[in-house]
Amino acid sequence: MRTGRRRSTLIATTAAATATLVAAGLLTSVSAQAAAGCQVTYSVASQWPGGFTGNVTVTNLGDPLSGWTLRWTYGAGQQTSQAWGATVTQSGSQVSATNVDYNGNLATNGSASFGFNASWNNSSNPAPTSFSLNNVACTGSTTPTTPTTPPPTTPPPSSTPPPTNQQPSNLVGWATQNGGTTGGGNAATTTVSNASGLTSALNATGAAVIRVTGTITCSGMLRVRSNKTIIGNYGATIVGCGFNINGDRNVIIRNLTFRSWNDDAINVQESASNIWIDHNTFSNGYDGAVDIKRGSDFVTVSWNRVFSHDKTMLLGHSDDNASQDVGHLRVSYHHNYFDGSNQRNPRVRFGNPVHVYNNYYRANGGYGIASTERAGVLVEGNYFENVDDPYHLGEGDSGPGSLVARNNHFVNSPTGQAGGSVASIPYPYQLDPASNVKSIVLAGAGAGKITI
């Protein structure tokens, strides 16, 4: 509990240091006579010992742009790692963020947002004091160089969705596709502390943000309806039951501990879509920790920890379900800690491409990843330690799928079995060096590692 209180204090301190900077400079534009000016908002969204998540929004105050690079310098040794919504690199203390393909064009007053994870020294995490665009120092004013025109009568298009329906900036992977995943958005928040309150809140129609507090003991599977964000307050625990997302869409589940469930902890089925399962902890359950099946699609499973458990994550429930599953079951698994979890980390049928990257595998007794029944699995940038069978093709009576492995790190573990080809990944992501994944995941995976 002392750790939790210290983390809250650090977040409050950092939030007070949030920087909102008005920046101007000569911006690269379609026109050589573009007006120069932008506004930058930098904030620390969450922070934990050794790491933090940063969010940045840049707004173009000048003429339309066709590409941008934003630069800043850290003063306390912060080091960026994974990023989303921009390509972020760092040389020494200087950070450069360059647009990706979908947000390079900014209309006048248009904005682009991106986020990143980074490390800090656990003592001081000051916000940058200045930014530059395209190597020109930002000075805080605009310099029109094109003829003045009357302001538009309608707002210009924005590259980011409205705040009431905004996708979390630290969401990466398949859940960003198909219109994105926003959960309950900015809907009213309901706090629940017992089984009846939780059951009612999850099953209610309409968008909602549901906060879970304390330990809730329940049984069976609780139905989760569309447009829900379910967040655990510090220490929130679900004992005995699980969540069932059955044909619904747009659900976010974060920062919960599940243990001793009597079916699945989280079951996603019957063409459910746009689901984000993030920063949860799972242990000692009966069946799957996170099972995704029956044509479900556009799911990201990130920053979770699974330990003291056998059947971890099943993707596709039957060899006989190709008619419903082929063309679906597209899931990203990243920065999860498979902590001695025995098998199905994950076990994949039919989905292609399934993206398994930057996870830490430790002492998995059965196997790590299995690609079966025509699946296509990209396994990259993972850290395998004391794993006898990191990945293979086929499993049990299931025929083989395809698996492409690249840039993985092995400690007292053999390389696995790979073969075939996998469809390309359609979304932007930044791959952490595999040799760094153990320390990154240990610092950030599981419930209680974020403050939201």
Side-chain angles (χ1 to χ4, degrees), residues 34-405:
C38 73
Q39 178 174 302
V40 177
T41 301
Y42 174 102
S43 64
V44 173
S46 61
Q47 185 167 283
W48 57 92
F52 69 96
T53 295
N55 290 331
V56 179
T57 298
V58 55
T59 301
N60 173 34
L61 303 179
D63 288 349
L65 307 179
S66 62
W68 50 266
T69 296
L70 182 69
R71 290 186 173 88
W72 67 88
T73 299
Y74 278 128
Q78 300 97 319
Q79 291 289 321
T80 59
S81 55
Q82 180 194 29
W84 44 92
T87 299
V88 176
T89 59
Q90 185 165 349
S91 176
S93 60
Q94 186 179 79
V95 181
S96 300
T98 301
N99 64 274
V100 290
D101 55 357
Y102 64 84
N103 64 5
N105 294 322
L106 291 184
T108 302
N109 294 324
S111 297
S113 295
F114 62 93
F116 57 89
N117 288 329
S119 62
W120 67 298
N121 61 17
N122 289 328
S123 175
S124 176
N125 187 10
T129 58
S130 63
F131 292 85
S132 68
L133 256 76
N134 298 353
N135 296 317
V136 177
C138 301
T139 61
S141 63
T142 60
T143 307
T145 57
T146 54
T148 302
T149 57
T153 57
T154 59
S158 172
S159 64
T160 56
T164 55
N165 196 33
Q166 189 170 16
Q167 180 168 272
S169 61
N170 52 346
L171 172 58
V172 187
W174 272 114
T176 65
Q177 305 297 288
N178 192 43
T181 302
T182 60
N186 290 338
T189 298
T190 299
T191 300
V192 298
S193 58
N194 55 52
S196 61
L198 177 63
T199 301
S200 297
L202 296 177
N203 196 43
T205 59
V209 176
I210 302 165
R211 283 196 168 269
V212 180
T213 187
T215 298
I216 296 178
T217 301
C218 42
S219 62
M221 299 297 291
L222 308 185
R223 178 73 181 271
V224 180
R225 299 288 183 175
S226 296
N227 305 315
K228 298 292 188 294
T229 295
I230 308 153
I231 300 171
N233 289 340
Y234 188 79
T237 303
I238 307 294
V239 179
C241 71
F243 292 172
N244 184 26
I245 306 170
N246 184 28
D248 288 279
R249 70 177 312 275
N250 194 31
V251 174
I252 295 173
I253 302 171
R254 304 185 74 193
N255 206 42
L256 285 168
T257 294
F258 294 83
R259 70 170 188 260
S260 304
W261 56 90
N262 55 13
D263 193 337
D264 294 333
I266 299 177
N267 180 45
V268 181
Q269 66 175 352
E270 299 297 353
S271 301
S273 67
N274 292 93
I275 313 297
W276 185 26
I277 300 165
D278 177 72
H279 276 99
N280 303 288
T281 296
F282 303 89
S283 66
N284 296 290
Y286 171 70
D287 202 352
V290 179
D291 283 1
I292 302 165
K293 56 199 181 188
R294 300 182 187 275
S296 296
D297 217 350
F298 303 109
V299 181
T300 294
V301 181
S302 58
W303 295 98
N304 301 285
R305 180 191 177 200
V306 186
F307 69 98
S308 298
H309 187 66
D310 181 17
K311 300 174 181 177
T312 306
M313 297 182 183
L314 180 68
L315 180 56
H317 75 292
S318 171
D319 296 349
D320 299 325
N321 207 53
S323 61
Q324 186 180 20
D325 289 343
V326 171
H328 304 289
L329 298 182
R330 288 169 289 189
V331 180
S332 304
Y333 300 89
H334 72 86
H335 292 91
N336 299 288
Y337 181 15
F338 297 109
D339 181 9
S341 50
N342 190 49
Q343 59 176 312
R344 301 184 180 180
N345 302 288
R347 185 197 200 279
V348 183
R349 293 178 174 97
F350 301 115
N352 186 11
V354 174
H355 197 188
V356 182
Y357 74 95
N358 282 160
N359 301 284
Y360 173 39
Y361 292 81
R362 187 200 67 82
N364 309 105
Y367 64 88
I369 305 151
S371 178
T372 77
E373 295 297 327
R374 293 178 280 162
V377 185
L378 175 60
V379 178
E380 64 172 338
N382 300 285
Y383 192 115
F384 296 93
E385 185 171 22
N386 297 320
V387 180
D388 291 337
D389 182 3
Y391 44 83
H392 60 244
L393 306 179
E395 172 62 23
D397 293 333
S398 300
S402 296
L403 189 150
V404 172

